[in-house]
Amino acid sequence: MQIAARRLDQVTIFDITGHIDLANSPELRKVLLKELKETKTPRVILNLTGVRYIDSSGVASLVEGLKAARDQGLRFILYGLSPSAREVLQLSRLIKIFEVFDNEQQALA
Amino acid sequence: MQIAARRLDQVTIFDITGHIDLANSPELRKVLLKELKETKTPRVILNLTGVRYIDSSGVASLVEGLKAARDQGLRFILYGLSPSAREVLQLSRLIKIFEVFDNEQQALA
Amino acid sequence: MLAESQGVERLHTSGLLLDLTLASDPQLLCVVRAAIERLTEVSGFSPPECRSITRAVDEAVANVMRHAYGSSPDKRIDVSCKRIAGMVNGIQREGLEIELLDQGVPFDQKKLTARSLDEVKPGGLGLHFIRDSMDVMEHSHKDGVNRLRLVKYFSAEGKGQTSQGE
Amino acid sequence: MLAESQGVERLHTSGLLLDLTLASDPQLLCVVRAAIERLTEVSGFSPPECRSITRAVDEAVANVMRHAYGSSPDKRIDVSCKRIAGMVNGIQREGLEIELLDQGVPFDQKKLTARSLDEVKPGGLGLHFIRDSMDVMEHSHKDGVNRLRLVKYFSAEGKGQTSQGE
Ligand SMILES: Nc1ncnc2c1ncn2[C@@H]1O[C@H](COP(=O)(O)OP(=O)(O)O)[C@@H](O)[C@H]1O
Ligand SMILES: Nc1ncnc2c1ncn2[C@@H]1O[C@H](COP(=O)(O)OP(=O)(O)O)[C@@H](O)[C@H]1O
C-alpha cells in the first residue's frame, strides 16, 4: 500500500494504492491521523481508485480517519471504490456514514 | 480463456482474453486451426491485449497457428503483448518469427 | 443467511484440491487471497461470490493471526480446500469447503455473537463478513487444534450445482 | 545464468513461509501462479523477477502434471517455499527456495539437456524457461519421491539482500 498527499487550495487529496489489509492498515491509520493533524483545508478526500481490496482492519482505519476529521470539523470524502471495497462498506453498514463519490470530479464538486 | 473472431474485409481478428496455459492451450490450438481453415482473408491478427500470461504450451499453440497460417499463405500477426507474454516469446527466441505489433492500428496498417 | 450446521447432513468430500500452509505473518494474507480468488473462479463461482469467499477466508486467517496467535508471525496456519457434495436439508448440493487449522488460543465461543453494527466504531467486523459470505461456519477445538470450517454452496444456477437443483 | 549447484555452500533455510499442496489438475496452475506471484512480490523481488520466478514454477508444476503424472488430474503435488540465506561462492546471499515434490515417474536425466532453440517447433520450452529464471535447479529422486529444487537469489541491490553484498 502507498499513500501520497496532494494539498490543493481548499482540499487535501490522499491517493492510496494497493491492498489495504492487516499487513498495512496500522500504517494507513498512522499516516491518516498524522496527515489530518497537519491538514488545514476544510475538505479531505481519499482517492481509492487504486485500491482493489479493503479488509475489516482497513475499514477500521478509515473509520478512525473519519472520526479524526470530524473532530477537526473537516469533511471526509471517499471516491473510486472497487466492487470489493464498496461491498465491504455496505456489509459493515458504513457506506452511509462516509460521503462516497464515483470520481474525483464529483468529490471536488 | 476466451476467443472471439471478428471477420473484416481483408483481415480476421481473433480477440483472446484470459491466461493461456496448460489448462486451455489445447483448446486454443484447436480453435485456431479450425478458424484458420475457414479464414479466407490474407491476414490473420491475434489480439492479445487481454492476455496477461502465456506459458510454454500456449507458445506451442501459437507456433502451430503460425505454421497453419503459413501453409495457407496467410500473414499471422500478434499485437497487444503483455510484459510476460513478450518475455516468453523472447525467451523462446520466437519473437522474431512472429510479426508483432503494439496495437490494432499498427497491426492493420 | 447462515445455517450454522443445522440440517446439514453428511457430506461427501472430494480428495485433495488445494491445501495452503503458511506462517502467521500478515504479509502473507495477500498470497492467501490471490490463491482463494483464483480457486473460487476456476470452481465456477460468480464474481461477487468469489470476492465474498475470498474476503471470508482473508478475515478468518487474519483473526487466527491476531487472536489465536496474538500476532506472532511465525506460527503455522493450515487452509484446506475441498469440493463437497451431498444432501443438505433434503436438497442435493455441491460446494467448496475451506477448513482453517491453528494451534493457538482456543476460540471464545461467547465472541461468536458478533457485535451490533448500529454503533459506528472500528473493529469487530470480521466475523460479520465471514457469516455473511458463507453458508456454513463451524468452530471446533480438539487436541490443541482449532478448526474453523467454512462452506459455500453453489447457487442453483451455479456451474458446480448438479441438475437436481432446488 | 544457471549455477547447477556448483559452489553452493550450505545454506540456512528459514522455518515455514508458504507450502502449497494441490491436485495435478491444470485448472489449478493459475492458483499456483497467483500465489507465487504475490509471494515473490512481498518477498521483495523486482517485477520482472516476480514474473520470471512465477513462470518457472508454473512450467515446473505443468511438467509434473504432464510428464511425471501422465496428465492424471488427481495426483498430489507439493510446492514448498522458504527463505534461505548463506554463503554462495564466498558471497553472503539471501533468496527464495521453492521445492516441488511429486510421486510420479522419475525424471529422465537425459532430458535435462533441453533442445536447441534454433528450430522453430512447438514444445520443449519449459525447461529453458526454468533454467533461465532461476539461479539453482536441481533434480533428485529418493524413496519414490521426485524433488525439484529451485532457488532465486536476491540481486545485490535487492530488498532481501544483506548489507554484506558482493
Ligand atoms: N480465530 C480466533 N481465535 C480466537 N478468537 C477469535 C478468533 N476470531 C475472532 N475471535 C474473537 O472474536 C472477536 C470478534 O472478531 P472480529 O469480528 O473478527 O473482530 P475483530 O477481530 O476486529 O475484533 C475478536 O475480537 C476475538 O475476541
Ligand atoms: N517433471 C518431469 N518429470 C518427468 N519428465 C520431465 C519432467 N519435466 C520435463 N520432463 C522431460 O523433459 C522434456 C522437456 O521438458 P520441457 O522443456 O518442459 O518441454 P515439454 O514439456 O514441452 O516437452 C519433457 O518432454 C519430458 O520428457
Side-chain angles (χ1 to χ4, degrees):
Chain A
M1 187 208 48
Q2 256 125 24
I3 313 178
R6 279 185 279 154
R7 303 193 178 278
L8 311 182
D9 192 20
Q10 289 297 308
V11 48
T12 304
I13 303 179
F14 296 108
D15 298 303
I16 309 181
T17 49
H19 288 202
I20 306 177
D21 67 11
L22 188 57
N24 53 40
S25 56
E27 188 202 332
L28 172 63
R29 179 182 173 280
K30 217 179 85 185
V31 175
L32 269 186
L33 296 186
K34 180 177 165 290
E35 293 277 355
L36 282 168
K37 252 191 213 154
E38 293 163 16
T39 296
K40 277 159 199 75
T41 58
R43 204 190 301 196
V44 170
I45 300 180
L46 263 58
N47 170 11
L48 298 172
T49 315
V51 176
R52 227 168 51 90
Y53 184 79
I54 305 179
D55 79 350
S56 68
S57 73
V59 171
S61 294
L62 293 182
V63 170
E64 299 230 39
L66 174 71
K67 294 202 161 188
R70 283 193 180 164
D71 286 349
Q72 288 174 252
L74 311 178
R75 273 178 73 189
F76 191 81
I77 294 170
L78 310 180
Y79 82 83
L81 270 61
S82 69
S84 178
R86 187 171 287 275
E87 283 158 6
V88 102
L89 289 182
Q90 266 154 355
L91 282 171
S92 52
R93 304 212 205 130
L94 291 167
I95 194 97
K96 53 194 186 317
I97 306 296
F98 291 98
E99 284 192 73
V100 178
F101 293 100
D102 286 342
N103 52 46
E104 186 161 318
Q105 206 180 348
Q106 288 176 21
L108 285 170
Chain B
M1 187 210 44
Q2 256 127 25
I3 313 179
R6 281 185 278 153
R7 304 192 178 277
L8 311 183
D9 191 18
Q10 290 296 308
V11 47
T12 306
I13 302 177
F14 297 107
D15 298 302
I16 310 181
T17 50
H19 289 202
I20 306 178
D21 67 10
L22 188 59
N24 53 40
S25 56
E27 188 202 333
L28 172 63
R29 179 182 173 280
K30 215 179 86 186
V31 175
L32 269 186
L33 296 186
K34 180 177 164 291
E35 292 277 356
L36 281 168
K37 251 191 214 152
E38 292 163 17
T39 297
K40 276 159 200 75
T41 58
R43 205 190 302 195
V44 171
I45 299 178
L46 264 58
N47 170 10
L48 298 172
T49 315
V51 176
R52 226 167 50 90
Y53 184 79
I54 305 181
D55 78 350
S56 67
S57 74
V59 171
S61 295
L62 294 182
V63 171
E64 299 230 38
L66 173 70
K67 294 200 160 190
R70 284 193 180 165
D71 286 349
Q72 287 174 252
L74 312 178
R75 273 177 73 188
F76 191 81
I77 293 169
L78 311 180
Y79 82 85
L81 270 60
S82 70
S84 178
R86 186 171 288 275
E87 283 158 4
V88 101
L89 290 182
Q90 266 154 356
L91 283 171
S92 53
R93 304 212 204 131
L94 291 166
I95 195 98
K96 54 194 185 316
I97 306 295
F98 291 99
E99 284 193 73
V100 179
F101 292 100
D102 286 342
N103 53 46
E104 186 161 317
Q105 207 180 346
Q106 287 176 21
L108 285 170
Chain C
M1 209 171 291
L2 183 78
E4 207 136 336
S5 86
Q6 15 97 330
V8 178
E9 284 126 78
R10 221 35 255 150
L11 293 162
H12 166 82
T13 49
S14 71
L16 169 67
L17 179 62
L18 178 78
D19 293 347
L20 298 169
T21 303
L22 63 143
S24 51
D25 180 344
Q27 295 280 350
L28 295 174
L29 282 168
C30 65
V31 176
V32 174
R33 286 198 301 273
I36 298 296
E37 197 170 16
R38 290 293 179 198
L39 181 68
T40 51
E41 280 168 22
V42 299
S43 297
F45 288 102
S46 71
E49 285 171 335
C50 293
R51 289 197 296 270
S52 104
I53 299 168
T54 302
R55 179 182 300 121
V57 175
D58 177 64
E59 295 287 345
V61 174
N63 274 347
V64 171
M65 290 173 175
R66 283 212 299 155
H67 303 303
Y69 287 135
S71 301
S72 331
D74 54 0
K75 299 289 187 284
R76 173 186 173 129
I77 303 175
D78 287 282
V79 181
S80 175
C81 309
K82 290 193 173 62
R83 291 290 295 265
I84 56 169
M87 298 300 283
V88 179
N89 299 323
I91 295 164
Q92 172 68 27
R93 305 210 76 170
E94 289 185 32
L96 183 65
E97 178 190 78
I98 303 174
E99 280 194 320
L100 264 73
L101 274 69
D102 69 75
Q103 284 103 282
V105 177
F107 201 95
D108 182 353
Q109 293 291 329
K110 285 188 299 259
K111 297 289 169 63
L112 272 176
T113 36
R115 75 167 176 85
S116 155
L117 288 179
D118 294 337
E119 208 185 336
V120 176
K121 66 171 187 185
L125 297 170
L127 290 178
H128 272 291
F129 295 171
I130 301 170
R131 283 160 192 280
D132 190 89
S133 299
M134 306 305 287
D135 294 310
V136 177
M137 169 180 171
E138 290 169 351
H139 278 94
S140 60
H141 179 82
K142 207 185 142 187
D143 302 330
V145 176
N146 301 309
R147 182 183 303 264
L148 172 63
R149 180 172 172 268
L150 304 174
V151 176
K152 180 74 179 180
Y153 297 114
F154 292 105
S155 56
E157 328 82 61
K159 203 174 156 185
Q161 179 70 1
T162 59
S163 50
Q164 224 164 313
E166 323 262 273
Chain D
M1 211 169 289
L2 184 76
E4 208 135 337
S5 85
Q6 14 96 327
V8 178
E9 282 126 79
R10 223 35 254 149
L11 293 161
H12 167 81
T13 50
S14 71
L16 170 68
L17 178 63
L18 178 78
D19 293 347
L20 298 169
T21 303
L22 63 142
S24 52
D25 181 343
Q27 296 279 350
L28 296 174
L29 282 169
C30 65
V31 176
V32 175
R33 286 197 302 274
I36 299 294
E37 197 170 15
R38 290 292 180 201
L39 182 68
T40 51
E41 280 168 22
V42 299
S43 297
F45 288 101
S46 70
E49 286 172 334
C50 293
R51 290 196 296 270
S52 105
I53 300 169
T54 302
R55 179 182 302 121
V57 175
D58 176 65
E59 295 287 346
V61 174
N63 274 347
V64 170
M65 291 173 174
R66 284 211 299 154
H67 303 303
Y69 287 136
S71 301
S72 330
D74 54 1
K75 299 289 186 285
R76 173 184 173 132
I77 303 175
D78 287 282
V79 181
S80 176
C81 308
K82 291 192 173 64
R83 290 290 296 263
I84 56 168
M87 297 301 282
V88 181
N89 300 323
I91 295 163
Q92 172 69 25
R93 305 209 76 170
E94 289 185 33
L96 183 65
E97 177 190 78
I98 303 174
E99 280 195 319
L100 264 75
L101 275 68
D102 69 75
Q103 283 104 281
V105 176
F107 201 95
D108 182 352
Q109 293 291 330
K110 285 187 300 257
K111 295 289 169 64
L112 271 176
T113 36
R115 76 165 175 86
S116 154
L117 289 178
D118 295 336
E119 208 185 337
V120 177
K121 67 172 188 185
L125 298 170
L127 290 178
H128 273 291
F129 296 171
I130 300 170
R131 282 161 190 280
D132 191 88
S133 298
M134 306 304 288
D135 294 310
V136 176
M137 169 180 171
E138 291 169 350
H139 278 93
S140 60
H141 179 81
K142 208 185 142 187
D143 302 331
V145 176
N146 300 310
R147 182 184 302 263
L148 172 63
R149 179 170 172 269
L150 304 174
V151 176
K152 180 74 179 179
Y153 297 115
F154 293 105
S155 55
E157 329 80 62
K159 206 173 154 183
Q161 180 70 1
T162 60
S163 50
Q164 222 164 315
E166 325 260 274

